[in-house]
Amino acid sequence: MDLATILRPDAVKALHGVTSKKRLFQEIADVASSISGVELTDICSALQERENLGPTGVGHGIALPHARLAGITSVFGVFIRLEKPLDFDSVDRQPVDLAFALLAPEDAGVEHLKALALVSRTMRDTNVCGKLRANNNPATLHTILTERQNVQAA
């Protein structure tokens, strides 16, 4: 599994004006709905329900919201770069400007966990995060996220 298989180019956005976690989830759900065909409100609800179990802000300005949903056939991601960081109740209390959401089928056990581990490893790389923060172009952001895997595999 690599990020290129779970993150489509059209699932990467750079956004301005997102001022709340709820609004971020709506933006993620909008992209995810267009990819999966699952209702936007169902995706928003699933992300919020997971967030209610505990914040998915992992620190260093990064959030990894995730949820399992009926109607999704395979694990996929949505990456959002925020121009203005927002409060996310992160473990280090730092605001979030990079959010990589993962959505998975309800019965995706190991596949979901492997994808989450892959995303977590990628987002812990300070060089990758630095490049992501220095760019606003969705195509460039997608390349930064997916090329890392190819370089490591070589």
Side-chain angles (χ1 to χ4, degrees):
M1 177 182 292
D2 63 21
L3 286 181
T5 62
I6 61 173
L7 184 66
R8 294 173 24 169
D10 60 344
V12 177
K13 303 283 182 200
L15 298 176
H16 311 281
V18 175
T19 57
S20 70
K21 193 185 296 190
K22 180 179 179 180
R23 182 70 186 137
L24 176 61
F25 288 166
Q26 290 170 339
E27 294 288 348
I28 291 168
D30 185 47
V31 174
S33 179
S34 68
I35 291 169
S36 67
V38 175
E39 289 292 324
L40 187 140
T41 54
D42 293 342
I43 296 169
C44 269
S45 294
L47 289 169
Q48 189 59 56
E49 285 173 23
R50 168 54 191 89
E51 196 70 19
N52 291 342
L53 297 174
T56 56
V58 297
H60 306 286
I62 299 162
L64 304 177
H66 53 280
R68 296 177 195 222
L69 287 151
I72 292 179
T73 57
S74 63
V75 175
F76 71 93
V78 175
F79 178 79
I80 305 285
R81 181 196 177 281
L82 299 171
E83 180 183 281
K84 183 180 177 205
L86 62 92
D87 181 34
F88 214 85
D89 301 318
S90 298
V91 294
D92 64 357
R93 299 185 183 185
Q94 297 298 310
V96 163
D97 63 340
L98 303 175
F100 198 125
L102 275 177
L103 298 163
E106 284 182 315
D107 59 353
V110 173
E111 184 184 15
H112 180 226
L113 295 176
K114 284 182 180 180
L116 198 53
L118 173 63
V119 170
S120 179
R121 277 192 309 274
T122 302
M123 298 307 293
R124 278 196 310 257
D125 185 320
T126 55
N127 291 326
V128 169
C129 289
K131 290 177 185 178
L132 293 170
R133 289 183 170 112
N135 286 283
N136 281 324
N137 181 286
T140 303
L141 295 170
H142 182 265
T143 299
I144 292 165
L145 286 164
T146 57
E147 78 181 349
R148 179 177 185 268
Q149 299 300 313
N150 296 333
V151 170
Q152 284 188 337

